[in-house]
Amino acid sequence: MAKMSDPLIVGRVIDDVLDCFTPSLRICVTYGNKYVCNGYEFYPSAVATNPRVQIQGGDLRTFYTLVMTDPDVPGPSDPYLREHLHWLVTDIPGTTDATFGKEVVSYEIPRPNIGIHRFVFVLYKQRGRRTVNNLPTSREYFNTRRFAAENELGHPVAAVFFNAQRETAARRR
Protein backbone atom coordinates (compact mmCIF):
# COMPACT_ATOMS: atom_id res chain seq x y z
CA MET A 1 0.00 0.00 0.00
CA ALA A 2 1.05 3.59 -0.54
CA LYS A 3 2.71 5.54 2.24
CA MET A 4 1.45 8.93 3.43
CA SER A 5 4.58 10.48 1.90
CA ASP A 6 3.78 8.98 -1.52
CA PRO A 7 3.66 11.86 -4.05
CA LEU A 8 0.40 10.48 -5.50
CA ILE A 9 -1.22 10.90 -2.07
CA VAL A 10 0.38 14.27 -1.35
CA GLY A 11 -0.69 15.50 -4.80
CA ARG A 12 -4.24 14.17 -4.18
CA VAL A 13 -4.11 11.94 -7.27
CA ILE A 14 -5.00 9.11 -4.90
CA ASP A 15 -8.52 10.06 -3.91
CA ASP A 16 -9.36 12.56 -6.68
CA VAL A 17 -8.55 10.22 -9.61
CA LEU A 18 -7.47 6.82 -8.29
CA ASP A 19 -8.02 4.57 -5.32
CA CYS A 20 -4.96 3.50 -3.35
CA PHE A 21 -2.91 0.88 -5.24
CA THR A 22 0.49 -0.77 -5.15
CA PRO A 23 2.54 -0.09 -8.31
CA SER A 24 3.86 -3.22 -9.99
CA LEU A 25 5.55 -1.55 -12.98
CA ARG A 26 7.16 1.75 -13.78
CA ILE A 27 6.25 4.12 -16.57
CA CYS A 28 8.82 6.55 -17.84
CA VAL A 29 7.21 9.64 -19.39
CA THR A 30 9.41 12.12 -21.24
CA TYR A 31 8.77 15.27 -23.21
CA GLY A 32 11.86 15.65 -25.36
CA ASN A 33 14.70 15.13 -22.89
CA LYS A 34 12.70 16.11 -19.78
CA TYR A 35 11.39 13.35 -17.50
CA VAL A 36 8.01 13.65 -15.80
CA CYS A 37 8.40 13.23 -12.04
CA ASN A 38 5.47 13.40 -9.65
CA GLY A 39 4.54 17.00 -8.93
CA TYR A 40 7.08 18.67 -11.22
CA GLU A 41 5.83 21.67 -13.15
CA PHE A 42 5.98 21.98 -16.92
CA TYR A 43 5.02 24.93 -19.06
CA PRO A 44 2.29 24.12 -21.59
CA SER A 45 4.71 24.98 -24.41
CA ALA A 46 7.03 22.20 -23.16
CA VAL A 47 4.27 19.57 -23.37
CA ALA A 48 2.84 20.55 -26.75
CA THR A 49 3.76 17.29 -28.48
CA ASN A 50 3.01 13.68 -27.55
CA PRO A 51 5.26 12.46 -24.77
CA ARG A 52 7.19 9.25 -25.02
CA VAL A 53 5.77 6.76 -22.52
CA GLN A 54 7.84 3.63 -21.90
CA ILE A 55 6.71 0.65 -19.86
CA GLN A 56 9.45 -0.74 -17.65
CA GLY A 57 9.08 -4.16 -16.07
CA GLY A 58 6.35 -5.59 -18.29
CA ASP A 59 6.56 -8.43 -20.81
CA LEU A 60 5.71 -8.54 -24.52
CA ARG A 61 2.82 -11.00 -24.03
CA THR A 62 0.94 -8.55 -21.81
CA PHE A 63 -0.98 -5.52 -23.07
CA TYR A 64 -1.58 -2.22 -21.29
CA THR A 65 -3.86 0.80 -21.48
CA LEU A 66 -2.61 4.35 -20.88
CA VAL A 67 -4.91 7.13 -19.73
CA MET A 68 -3.92 10.80 -19.44
CA THR A 69 -6.42 13.00 -17.64
CA ASP A 70 -6.79 16.43 -16.03
CA PRO A 71 -8.85 16.23 -12.82
CA ASP A 72 -8.82 20.00 -12.23
CA VAL A 73 -11.21 21.30 -14.90
CA PRO A 74 -12.09 24.15 -15.09
CA GLY A 75 -9.96 25.12 -12.08
CA PRO A 76 -8.47 23.34 -9.06
CA SER A 77 -10.51 25.31 -6.51
CA ASP A 78 -13.81 24.15 -8.09
CA PRO A 79 -13.20 21.21 -10.47
CA TYR A 80 -16.89 20.62 -11.20
CA LEU A 81 -16.12 19.37 -14.73
CA ARG A 82 -13.66 16.74 -13.43
CA GLU A 83 -12.10 14.89 -15.34
CA HIS A 84 -10.99 15.88 -18.86
CA LEU A 85 -9.47 13.13 -21.00
CA HIS A 86 -6.27 14.20 -22.78
CA TRP A 87 -5.06 10.90 -24.24
CA LEU A 88 -6.05 7.24 -24.40
CA VAL A 89 -3.89 4.46 -25.83
CA THR A 90 -4.80 0.75 -25.63
CA ASP A 91 -3.09 -2.52 -26.58
CA ILE A 92 0.42 -1.35 -25.70
CA PRO A 93 2.74 -4.39 -25.57
CA GLY A 94 4.77 -4.55 -22.35
CA THR A 95 8.43 -3.40 -22.49
CA THR A 96 7.60 -1.05 -25.39
CA ASP A 97 6.25 2.46 -25.54
CA ALA A 98 2.84 3.97 -26.30
CA THR A 99 3.66 4.38 -30.00
CA PHE A 100 3.22 0.61 -30.36
CA GLY A 101 -0.35 0.77 -29.01
CA LYS A 102 -3.66 1.79 -30.52
CA GLU A 103 -4.33 5.52 -30.01
CA VAL A 104 -8.06 5.63 -29.27
CA VAL A 105 -8.23 9.31 -28.23
CA SER A 106 -5.54 11.53 -29.73
CA TYR A 107 -3.19 13.56 -27.55
CA GLU A 108 -4.59 16.95 -26.57
CA ILE A 109 -2.17 19.66 -25.46
CA PRO A 110 -2.61 20.70 -21.81
CA ARG A 111 -3.91 24.28 -21.73
CA PRO A 112 -5.01 25.18 -18.20
CA ASN A 113 -6.84 28.51 -17.93
CA ILE A 114 -7.22 28.91 -14.17
CA GLY A 115 -4.79 27.81 -11.47
CA ILE A 116 -2.34 24.93 -11.36
CA HIS A 117 -3.66 21.72 -12.94
CA ARG A 118 -2.49 18.15 -12.45
CA PHE A 119 -2.04 15.98 -15.53
CA VAL A 120 -2.13 12.33 -14.59
CA PHE A 121 -0.79 9.35 -16.57
CA VAL A 122 -2.28 6.02 -15.43
CA LEU A 123 -1.26 2.61 -16.75
CA TYR A 124 -3.54 -0.43 -16.52
CA LYS A 125 -2.88 -4.07 -17.35
CA GLN A 126 -5.42 -5.44 -19.83
CA ARG A 127 -6.94 -8.95 -19.62
CA GLY A 128 -5.73 -9.52 -23.19
CA ARG A 129 -5.32 -7.84 -26.54
CA ARG A 130 -8.37 -5.93 -27.82
CA THR A 131 -10.25 -6.28 -24.52
CA VAL A 132 -10.82 -2.53 -24.00
CA ASN A 133 -14.14 -1.99 -25.77
CA ASN A 134 -16.12 0.43 -23.60
CA LEU A 135 -14.58 3.58 -25.01
CA PRO A 136 -15.41 7.16 -24.05
CA THR A 137 -17.66 9.14 -26.37
CA SER A 138 -16.33 12.49 -25.14
CA ARG A 139 -13.27 13.97 -23.48
CA GLU A 140 -15.43 15.89 -20.99
CA TYR A 141 -16.64 14.38 -17.71
CA PHE A 142 -14.31 11.40 -18.12
CA ASN A 143 -13.94 9.22 -15.04
CA THR A 144 -10.81 7.08 -14.78
CA ARG A 145 -12.26 4.76 -12.13
CA ARG A 146 -15.44 4.16 -14.13
CA PHE A 147 -13.49 3.58 -17.34
CA ALA A 148 -11.29 0.98 -15.58
CA ALA A 149 -14.34 -0.75 -14.07
CA GLU A 150 -16.27 -0.84 -17.37
CA ASN A 151 -13.28 -2.47 -19.08
CA GLU A 152 -12.38 -4.79 -16.19
CA LEU A 153 -8.90 -3.31 -15.90
CA GLY A 154 -8.64 -3.61 -12.13
CA HIS A 155 -6.22 -1.44 -10.18
CA PRO A 156 -3.57 0.63 -11.96
CA VAL A 157 -0.09 -0.85 -12.28
CA ALA A 158 1.65 2.55 -12.46
CA ALA A 159 0.89 6.27 -12.36
CA VAL A 160 2.75 9.57 -12.54
CA PHE A 161 1.62 13.20 -12.73
CA PHE A 162 2.92 16.67 -13.48
CA ASN A 163 1.58 20.16 -12.83
CA ALA A 164 1.02 22.95 -15.33
CA GLN A 165 -0.54 26.38 -15.27
CA ARG A 166 -1.43 29.01 -17.82
CA GLU A 167 1.65 30.28 -19.57
CA THR A 168 1.94 34.02 -19.97
CA ALA A 169 3.52 35.54 -23.07
CA ALA A 170 6.57 36.55 -20.99
CA ARG A 171 7.20 32.91 -19.99
CA ARG A 172 7.15 31.71 -23.59
CA ARG A 173 10.06 33.94 -24.57
Side-chain angles (χ1 to χ4, degrees), residues 1 3 6 18-19 21 23 26 36 46 48 51 54 58 62 64 75 77 87 104 109 124 128 141-142 156 160 162 169:
M1 287 309 247
K3 298 176 185 146
D6 184 318
L18 304 170
D19 294 323
F21 72 99
R26 187 168 179 267
V36 171
Q54 295 176 287
T62 306
Y64 297 90
S77 61
W87 199 25
V104 176
I109 301 167
Y124 291 97
Y141 301 106
F142 182 78
V160 67
F162 70 89

Side-chain angles (χ1 to χ4, degrees), residues 61-160:
R61 295 178 307 271
T62 306
F63 294 89
Y64 297 90
T65 293
L66 176 73
V67 174
M68 179 186 176
T69 184
D70 175 358
D72 299 317
V73 177
S77 61
D78 185 19
Y80 65 89
L81 296 176
R82 173 178 295 165
E83 301 167 42
H84 183 83
L85 180 62
H86 277 266
W87 199 25
L88 178 61
V89 183
T90 64
D91 298 326
I92 306 167
T95 72
T96 66
D97 64 55
T99 59
F100 290 92
K102 178 183 174 193
E103 187 176 64
V104 176
V105 176
S106 63
Y107 181 77
E108 182 179 83
I109 301 167
R111 289 191 181 109
N113 287 323
I114 303 166
I116 299 171
H117 289 235
R118 296 163 294 166
F119 293 90
V120 183
F121 293 90
V122 185
L123 188 69
Y124 291 97
K125 181 179 176 181
Q126 296 176 200
R127 289 177 290 122
R129 191 170 191 198
R130 298 186 187 124
T131 58
V132 177
N133 298 311
N134 294 313
L135 301 174
T137 56
S138 171
R139 291 179 188 267
E140 288 79 32
Y141 301 106
F142 182 78
N143 184 294
T144 302
R145 286 183 184 101
R146 184 178 58 236
F147 173 78
E150 288 171 352
N151 287 286
E152 300 177 26
L153 296 172
H155 292 291
V157 294
V160 67

Side-chain angles (χ1 to χ4, degrees), residues 4-41:
M4 291 306 286
S5 62
D6 184 318
L8 296 173
I9 292 175
V10 174
R12 296 181 345 270
V13 171
I14 302 292
D15 193 31
D16 288 352
V17 180
L18 304 170
D19 294 323
C20 203
F21 72 99
T22 301
S24 58
L25 296 176
R26 187 168 179 267
I27 54 173
C28 182
V29 180
T30 54
Y31 285 96
N33 62 355
K34 297 190 189 280
Y35 288 89
V36 171
C37 295
N38 286 318
Y40 281 31
E41 185 169 348

